[in-house]
Amino acid sequence: MTELRYHDRKGRPRLAYRHREGIGPTLVFLPGYMSDMTGSKASAIMAYAEAENRACLLLDYAGCGSSDGEFEEQKLTDWRDDVMDLVNALVLGPVVLIGSSMGGWLMLLCALAHPERVSALVGIAAAPDFTDWGFTQDEKLTILRDGRLEQPSDYDDSPYVTSRTFFESGEASRLLGTEIAIDCPVRLVHGQQDRDVPWEYSVRLARQLRSADVHVTLVKDGDHRLSRVEDVARLLAQIEWLLASLKAS
């Protein structure tokens, strides 16, 4: 595995990352909420990049994984800026952003803020606007009243924590209510057994994107994580297909 390194910034937490040079565009993996770059999908993408001599960047957002910072102080837009700070510091050419769950929301925000840097997007159970549809009204009121909400996590022993700081930033960054002005190629993969992010949101996202080059792949027996061997193989095939189409164009 590529060496773990750190990127120092003025006024923002130090970011942990793994970066390898190679054939562009650089593959950049964006983890989901309360996740980091040690997951199976991130590791598989880096292994693919190493096998194919592709450029690749993995990272932990501020307050997550090996990066500095307090998790509950981070905004959604802070994490968007974390991604682009590293891209602008480490990558000269274009990037393909690969976003898992919340990372799928971040990849859209990055592409909207810096369209000149982003050549394509790949969403894995992409979850734009989940601060809107992902909580009950009572849960939203708890976040706003108490400043945070703790919920049991299906994926970790630690509780799933949502801060008012993050929630309010998410509500101010909603995208699905109007056309999303992104024109690059987009590939969306979603499991139809996803209990966290209904697959219909990938279909809705495809409809809202301005790009004409959008494909949605639904995995009938796939769950939210899409981390089985066959799911990871499908993801890598999507990435390879997308890279081939970018080269052809």
Side-chain angles (χ1 to χ4, degrees):
M1 176 67 80
T2 306
E3 179 186 359
L4 180 67
R5 297 181 179 179
Y6 293 91
H7 176 61
D8 291 307
R9 300 178 295 170
K10 185 176 181 180
R12 285 285 294 153
R14 184 179 65 157
L15 295 176
Y17 70 92
R18 297 182 187 275
H19 178 228
R20 79 175 309 276
E21 302 284 353
I23 302 167
T26 299
L27 305 176
V28 183
F29 183 76
L30 310 184
Y33 192 77
M34 291 190 72
S35 189
D36 57 39
M37 61 175 155
T38 64
S40 58
K41 292 187 290 291
S43 298
I45 290 168
M46 180 59 81
Y48 166 79
E50 290 171 345
E52 300 294 326
N53 193 29
R54 290 274 178 189
C56 185
L57 173 63
L58 308 181
L59 68 138
D60 289 340
Y61 314 124
C64 301
S66 297
S67 288
D68 294 344
E70 294 297 323
F71 178 81
E72 293 188 42
E73 295 178 359
Q74 309 307 315
K75 301 176 183 178
L76 180 70
T77 48
D78 288 333
W79 288 339
R80 174 203 63 194
D81 295 343
D82 289 348
V83 174
M84 296 314 302
D85 282 351
L86 277 177
V87 166
N88 290 329
L90 302 173
V91 180
L92 292 177
V95 297
V96 172
L97 301 179
I98 305 164
S100 178
S101 193
M102 182 203 68
W105 192 357
L106 287 178
M107 74 180 186
L108 300 169
L109 295 175
C110 290
L112 287 167
H114 300 274
E116 74 286 353
R117 299 303 317 270
V118 179
S119 61
L121 303 174
V122 180
I124 309 158
D129 297 14
F130 77 80
T131 50
D132 175 37
W133 51 259
F135 298 92
T136 66
Q137 191 62 28
D138 284 345
E139 289 167 344
K140 292 178 181 180
L141 290 174
T142 297
I143 294 169
L144 296 174
R145 182 187 66 241
D146 300 341
R148 68 197 301 273
L149 173 69
E150 281 194 16
Q151 299 169 291
S153 171
D154 292 335
Y155 311 111
D156 198 285
D157 293 335
S158 301
Y160 188 95
V161 179
T162 305
S163 70
R164 181 166 55 204
T165 297
F166 176 85
F167 179 82
E168 291 179 340
S169 176
E171 287 295 87
S173 303
R174 285 158 57 179
L175 300 173
L176 293 175
T178 187
E179 180 183 72
I180 302 172
I182 291 173
D183 297 304
C184 66
V186 182
R187 304 290 179 263
L188 302 172
V189 184
H190 214 127
Q192 290 188 282
Q193 304 305 314
D194 190 334
R195 295 181 300 171
D196 299 303
V197 182
W199 60 265
E200 289 87 352
Y201 282 103
S202 277
V203 176
R204 183 176 174 186
L205 172 57
R207 188 166 56 241
Q208 297 303 113
L209 286 162
R210 189 168 68 189
S211 173
D213 187 359
V214 180
H215 296 259
V216 180
T217 299
L218 298 177
V219 184
K220 189 171 183 178
D221 65 344
D223 63 7
H224 179 62
R225 304 189 94 177
L226 290 177
S227 293
R228 300 171 301 179
V229 172
E230 60 267 36
D231 296 326
V232 172
R234 186 181 296 108
L235 170 62
L236 296 178
Q238 290 279 341
I239 293 170
E240 199 159 50
W241 171 38
L242 184 55
L243 291 172
S245 67
L246 290 173
K247 184 177 180 180
S249 62

